[in-house]
Amino acid sequence: MTRYVYRFGGDVSDGGQGDKNLLGGKGANLDGMASIGLPVPPGFTISTPVCALYYDNGESFPDSLKAEVATGITHIESVTGKAFGDAADPLLVSVRSGARVSMPGMMDTVLNLGLNDATVVGLADTSGDARFAWDSYRRFIQMYSDVVLELDHGRFEEALEIAKEDRGYSLDTEMTADDWRKLVEEYKALVQELWGKPFPQDVHDQLWGAIGAVFGSWQSERAKVYRRLNDIPGDWGTAVNVQAMVFGNMGDTSATGVAFTRDPATGENAYYGEFLINAQGEDVVAGIRTPQYLTRAAREKAGAKPLSMEEAMPEAYAELARVFDQLERHYRDMQDIEFTVERGKLWMLQTRSGKRTAKAALKIAVDMANEGLINRDEAILRVDPSALDQLLHPTLDPNAPRDVLTKGLPASPGAASGIAVFDSDTAEKRAAAGEAVILVRVETSPEDIHGMHAAKGILTARGGMTSHAAVVARGMGRPCVSGAGTLSIKASEGVMRIGTREVREGEVLTIDGSTGEVMLGAVPTIQPELAGDFGTLMVWADEVRRLKVRTNAETPLDCRTAREFGAEGIGLCRTEHMFFDAARITAVRQMILASDEAGRRAALDKLLPEQRADFIEIFEVMAGLPCTIRLLDPPLHEFLPHEESEFEEVAKAAGLDVETLRRRAAELHEFNPMLGHRGCRLGVTYPEIYEMQARAIFEAACVVAEKSGAAPVPEVMIPLVGTKRELELMKTVVDRAAQAVFAERGRTIDYLVGTMIELPRAALRAGEIAEAGAFFSFGTNDLTQTTLGVSRDDAGRFLTTYVEKGIYARDPFVSLDVEGVGELISIAAERGRATRPDIKLGICGEHGGDPASIAFCEQTGLDYVSASPYRVPIARLAAAQAALRAR
């Protein structure tokens, strides 16, 4: 019979090696901590396969699970000496999720389960603290009603606030045992009103309701959004962990906290975290109370008055520090830890590899390698290449004037400007319309995930450095300022106030997640310095990667940026972008509108010096490096005017009447231009266009060679080839232009002529096409749309649904469709090499900057990938990781 429940704690470890695929990350690490002797409350894990079975069976459980869960409860009872549902000395448990990878705040948790009208009295007697018992019961009713019964959470919060207001209290900790008891009665009445039934008193009913709710939260909207944003497969499922409760809300010798073994924002090797005395875990992460610092140094640095844990609870802190070091040595990574101190005794509730910013990831990886905790290869593999994007963009100019409104906690580094919005739906809507937004909330919750992703930055009035907003923002790479306590936010009115000043929805804010400053208006930015740990890791990565990394660029600025980021040449220069320049579009249009070759050549003669100048600027930056130049690709109608006023202007410049121009534009109109008269088809029809471009390339290369002594290596790429004959004809045009230029200049330049493989036919006939072409560059943007029959310009309307329904694992225009498009690339590579063993193979579509696609390129044995300038470092690191994993 298949086993579904695995016990841990009390010298029992059913999980063995702590398989995260089976037990989920939380369950595996609870088992792991218990096995190395750390103080872990006993419990059991319901494995991840049950999640799939739960949904496959119409949200019901396997028949054998009930008995296994009963065995798990018996295990907890035997270790704690308490009995589940016992009115005299009750066992209380937590029920928590735990997927294979951390999904902070995305799924549900229930604490204090096992309390009812009878057991709350027993808890008060055994603990000797009636206030604690009734506080725990009201927490349980409130949480269970929200998570399991799905009742309006706001009604319970409102009842609590009214109760405090009636008594003149400002803090929850001021409520007495009798106050909590009365609030419990109000909560139970609310349940009866909203649910139509009394609050469940049977502890076993409570348990199964909670287990179902945790499994149910795997398919919640927020969890699905998080999975989509982080490429987590929907069929992985979550485990459920049931564990004996320990209590941080049993008075001033009890506490709860969240901590990291190193600073997750900067990577500094210093303990980092927060705690609250006389509280439970949700109080810290939800931002309901402002937490205190973990260490004295952090408190003094922040200028805070409440004592740190190091000062207030020195013995528990000292034990916690020892645990930090033990866990980091054991897991060989920075750990994110949840702990509780119950009447002076430390308990460990969770450990996992902590979410961190890109800056912190780099520092931690490099530091741990230098400390000997991991080796250099492991350091390279530790950093998510996509996270480097956080480091490669501008930060605030320190010398720019700032109108600082207030200051909060620097929860996630980086800076962002945008219009203030006060709810996530509006943030998503206005971001989709192209506006930069700053999401402003009292505090964020998991339901805000879509708005947080849409926003450029996040600002909250409540919450600490480990609040939901802070953790999720760091994981997303969004700047975040949390706990800006001077803010008064009225979301319903679309306004926030700071003293006498106010900011309304639509006004521009700037936040600095590195300092915590909140500023009115936009603040100028500067480019980042990419040295230190970034430079060190890149050197290590370059030593192990096999794939070369080039850039997609057609301006000198892009070329210089890419070179600074380590690009080793140009993998795609799109020459049509040069044609759209305002100073030369008239000549382009004259060429298109000409009625014969002589007219076209007259217009092309005007364009030649402009094209040559373009290439000189590019080749000067890329002197000595390969530069793949794609000849004109888009259909000609794209260069013609669309507005009435433009028709008159162009007609005048071209010496034509407006009607003639309109007729010519109509003749060029195509119903499906992406599959029409474009690419090499233009060259076949009008070879003089490619002749001019080839001449400009070779003249520019000769000029740069003469000036610098380091000639670029032009790789002239013929686009949209589907047959060998097309490439042969165009190669003849290019070769003839090259020889003419070399004869005129008295110098020769090494060059190659090849093609972009972007049609399925070209991939299948690659063997014969390689007879004419010295290189293949896979244009995966068009190859994807021609293979899948999906327009990359329009597919955004339905591809999200396709990904959600599991038709595609990821958007195929973001990450390569390995099974379809990837197989065509493999076929083309194999057949091309069979004909020409030394053929150069690369990829230049947007997939060239996608780590998963780069891994495929490594497996296929391509020679290089090409990415946009800001993605070059991402490609370098991803190529190194792919090489290491291929060993």
Side-chain angles (χ1 to χ4, degrees), residues 1 5 121 176 191 230 309 418 464 496 552 618 622 624 638 650 696 724 740 809 861 868:
M1 186 178 71
V5 169
V121 177
T176 67
V191 172
N230 292 277
M309 183 179 178
M496 73 177 195
N552 301 338
I618 289 170
M622 295 289 176
E638 288 193 9
V650 174
K724 173 187 174 184
S868 59

Side-chain angles (χ1 to χ4, degrees), residues 631-753:
L631 301 186
L632 193 64
D633 182 44
L636 295 179
H637 79 90
E638 288 193 9
F639 298 99
L640 292 181
H642 303 287
E643 302 295 328
E644 189 65 31
S645 59
E646 287 185 298
F647 270 105
E648 293 178 7
E649 182 184 330
V650 174
K652 183 178 179 181
L656 299 170
D657 62 81
V658 174
E659 283 309 311
T660 301
L661 177 58
R662 283 205 190 93
R663 187 171 62 252
R664 180 63 174 144
E667 289 169 0
L668 289 170
H669 173 74
E670 297 180 87
F671 288 104
N672 196 348
M674 292 310 293
L675 298 178
H677 194 192
R678 55 167 286 216
C680 69
R681 299 159 192 172
L682 287 173
V684 170
T685 312
Y686 308 120
E688 56 273 13
I689 298 176
Y690 280 10
E691 178 188 321
M692 180 277 290
Q693 290 192 290
R695 172 171 277 276
I697 291 168
F698 295 121
E699 288 180 353
C702 288
V703 169
V704 173
E706 288 164 6
K707 286 167 61 177
S708 69
V713 183
E715 297 177 350
V716 183
M717 180 161 70
I718 313 299
L720 213 74
V721 161
T723 70
K724 173 187 174 184
R725 182 62 179 154
E726 287 171 317
L727 183 54
E728 285 177 333
L729 288 170
M730 294 302 95
K731 184 176 186 300
T732 299
V733 171
V734 173
D735 288 342
R736 191 185 301 126
Q739 295 312 310
V741 171
F742 296 161
E744 293 164 12
R745 295 276 177 171
R747 151 189 309 272
T748 60
I749 300 289
D750 290 334
Y751 73 95
L752 302 175
V753 179

Side-chain angles (χ1 to χ4, degrees), residues 416 421 427-428 431 435-440 449-458 476 478-479:
V421 297
E428 188 174 51
E435 295 179 282
V437 304
I438 303 295
L439 179 62
V440 183
I449 182 73
H450 60 299
M452 296 174 77
H453 182 255
K456 297 293 184 185
I458 297 144
M476 286 182 170
R478 300 290 188 276

Side-chain angles (χ1 to χ4, degrees), residues 229-262:
L229 297 179
N230 292 277
D231 298 318
I232 299 170
D235 60 2
W236 276 7
T238 182
V240 174
N241 299 287
V242 179
Q243 190 174 18
M245 282 293 301
V246 288
F247 300 97
N249 58 331
M250 294 186 75
D252 291 342
T253 60
S254 300
T256 189
V258 176
F260 296 81
T261 57
R262 302 189 188 214

Side-chain angles (χ1 to χ4, degrees), residues 695-868:
R695 172 171 277 276
I697 291 168
F698 295 121
E699 288 180 353
C702 288
V703 169
V704 173
E706 288 164 6
K707 286 167 61 177
S708 69
V713 183
E715 297 177 350
V716 183
M717 180 161 70
I718 313 299
L720 213 74
V721 161
T723 70
K724 173 187 174 184
R725 182 62 179 154
E726 287 171 317
L727 183 54
E728 285 177 333
L729 288 170
M730 294 302 95
K731 184 176 186 300
T732 299
V733 171
V734 173
D735 288 342
R736 191 185 301 126
Q739 295 312 310
V741 171
F742 296 161
E744 293 164 12
R745 295 276 177 171
R747 151 189 309 272
T748 60
I749 300 289
D750 290 334
Y751 73 95
L752 302 175
V753 179
T755 186
M756 181 179 275
I757 302 290
E758 49 195 323
L759 297 175
R761 190 185 196 281
L764 295 172
R765 305 305 297 169
E768 63 185 38
I769 292 173
E771 294 173 10
F775 70 87
F776 290 164
S777 179
F778 293 97
T780 52
N781 299 345
D782 269 353
L783 186 57
T784 296
Q785 76 173 349
T786 55
T787 300
L788 301 183
V790 172
S791 165
R792 60 176 165 150
D793 297 314
D794 304 311
R797 301 174 187 175
F798 61 84
L799 276 181
T800 299
T801 304
Y802 265 51
V803 172
E804 287 177 351
K805 293 185 180 297
I807 297 171
Y808 295 131
R810 288 184 67 190
D811 182 333
F813 291 104
V814 173
S815 194
L816 198 65
D817 165 38
V818 172
E819 294 175 346
V821 178
E823 185 164 357
L824 285 172
I825 293 173
S826 298
I827 289 169
E830 181 182 342
R831 294 180 182 178
R833 287 194 189 106
T835 298
R836 188 188 291 260
D838 64 344
I839 193 168
K840 187 179 289 188
L841 302 172
I843 181 173
C844 64
E846 288 302 307
H847 301 94
D850 170 60
S853 304
I854 290 168
F856 169 80
C857 295
E858 173 68 30
Q859 293 163 10
T860 311
L862 302 191
D863 297 301
Y864 69 88
V865 298
S866 187
S868 59

Side-chain angles (χ1 to χ4, degrees), residues 365-394:
V366 171
D367 283 355
M368 285 187 168
N370 290 334
E371 292 163 15
L373 197 61
I374 58 177
N375 61 40
R376 287 185 177 184
D377 289 354
E378 289 174 300
I380 292 167
L381 292 167
R382 285 284 172 89
V383 179
D384 176 5
S386 298
L388 293 181
D389 208 29
Q390 296 175 33
L391 301 177
L392 305 179
H393 295 284

